[in-house]
Amino acid sequence: MSLESRKGVALEDPGAEVVDQLTGFWDKYGRVLLGAIGAVVVIAVVAVFTMRSNAKQENDASKKLAEANLLFWQGDYDRSKTVAQEAGRTFGSTWSGTDAHRIAGDDMFWRGDFKGAITEYNAYLAKQGSGLLADAVRRSLAYSLESDKKFTDAAKLYDGLVGKFERESSAEFLAASARCYEANHQNDEAAKRLQRLLDEFGDTSYASRARVQLAMIQPPTN
């Protein structure tokens, strides 16, 4: 085969055409691809460092939370509150930083600072509004509101907690709601809660007292 013929075959080689296409594609889009790959690498590196940073923050926050919790159970409410509030401020984005508001609220409640307790419990619920622990915080919030003489708000919370825990607690909440309405001079609303307590939770320890209370606010008519 002549040289010219061989050159013609080479020019018509499909492999060479593919190489030319790839070369052209790379010339046109290579920088874009490199930029995209680089962006993915950067995102991955940032994600790894973020995860490590978050893990460290949670670890540090959990240590503070454990300290605050220990001080609470030792009855040192002032120091426990200080440590818990520091954890909440410093590690507010972590689970332990959120839970620190609950402990600070408990500290304030047992010190008689009901307004402060209300603030801390609401701060917790603003970040963690669902789940069993959140309902437990609502229970504490309801008692704080009642202690602060915010009877209407407390009664609404008590009513909303009925059925969230075991039967004894549900009876407790209805009795507490009735107590709030009675304190608010709304005996008809109080009577409704007491009657519900007797109808649905008559086997609990709150039933006998509910009967007495109901008889007192709704004496029989002749």
Side-chain angles (χ1 to χ4, degrees):
M1 182 180 292
S2 65
L3 181 59
E4 288 76 7
S5 298
R6 287 199 299 271
K7 285 183 178 180
V9 171
L11 289 173
E12 295 175 1
D13 184 357
E17 183 178 352
V18 171
V19 171
D20 289 340
Q21 289 177 352
L22 290 175
T23 302
F25 179 86
W26 180 256
D27 290 340
K28 189 173 182 180
Y29 299 108
R31 291 183 180 180
V32 175
L33 287 174
L34 283 176
I37 294 170
V40 171
V41 171
V42 169
I43 291 172
V45 170
V46 170
V48 169
F49 278 107
T50 300
M51 290 175 63
R52 289 180 178 176
S53 176
N54 290 344
K56 183 180 185 305
Q57 282 202 2
E58 178 58 46
N59 183 58
D60 293 341
S62 65
K63 291 178 181 178
K64 282 287 185 183
L65 186 68
E67 180 184 356
N69 194 49
L70 177 62
L71 290 168
F72 172 81
W73 288 110
Q74 290 175 343
D76 194 345
Y77 302 127
D78 289 333
R79 286 179 61 201
S80 175
K81 180 190 74 173
T82 299
V83 174
Q85 288 182 323
E86 181 184 347
R89 285 192 301 269
T90 307
F91 307 105
S93 61
T94 66
W95 181 90
S96 295
T98 297
D99 200 44
H101 290 292
R102 176 184 62 84
I103 294 180
D106 290 346
D107 289 319
M108 292 178 177
F109 180 87
W110 289 106
R111 292 292 291 168
D113 181 5
F114 304 121
K115 293 185 186 302
I118 291 168
T119 298
E120 292 293 344
Y121 291 142
N122 279 325
Y124 175 93
L125 292 170
K127 294 184 176 182
Q128 184 61 49
S130 61
L132 187 61
L133 189 55
D135 286 332
V137 171
R138 287 189 181 90
R139 180 185 206 161
S140 300
L141 176 58
Y143 275 109
S144 298
L145 288 166
E146 183 183 1
S147 299
D148 200 37
K149 302 187 185 305
K150 293 181 172 59
F151 299 119
T152 300
D153 292 337
K156 289 178 181 178
L157 274 179
Y158 285 133
D159 287 342
L161 288 169
V162 176
K164 297 288 187 179
F165 299 94
E166 80 289 345
R167 292 176 59 78
E168 191 75 13
S169 290
S170 291
E172 172 196 344
F173 299 141
L174 284 170
S177 180
R179 186 171 62 242
C180 289
Y181 277 114
E182 191 175 357
N184 239 9
H185 308 292
Q186 295 175 271
N187 286 355
D188 289 345
E189 293 297 325
K192 290 177 184 178
R193 273 70 181 175
L194 293 171
Q195 190 60 58
R196 183 184 174 189
L197 192 162
L198 294 173
D199 292 343
E200 299 180 23
F201 306 100
D203 58 333
T204 64
S205 62
Y206 288 87
S208 58
R209 184 173 179 181
R211 290 189 185 92
V212 173
Q213 191 177 357
L214 183 60
M216 290 177 63
I217 64 176
Q218 279 192 336
T221 58
N222 295 326

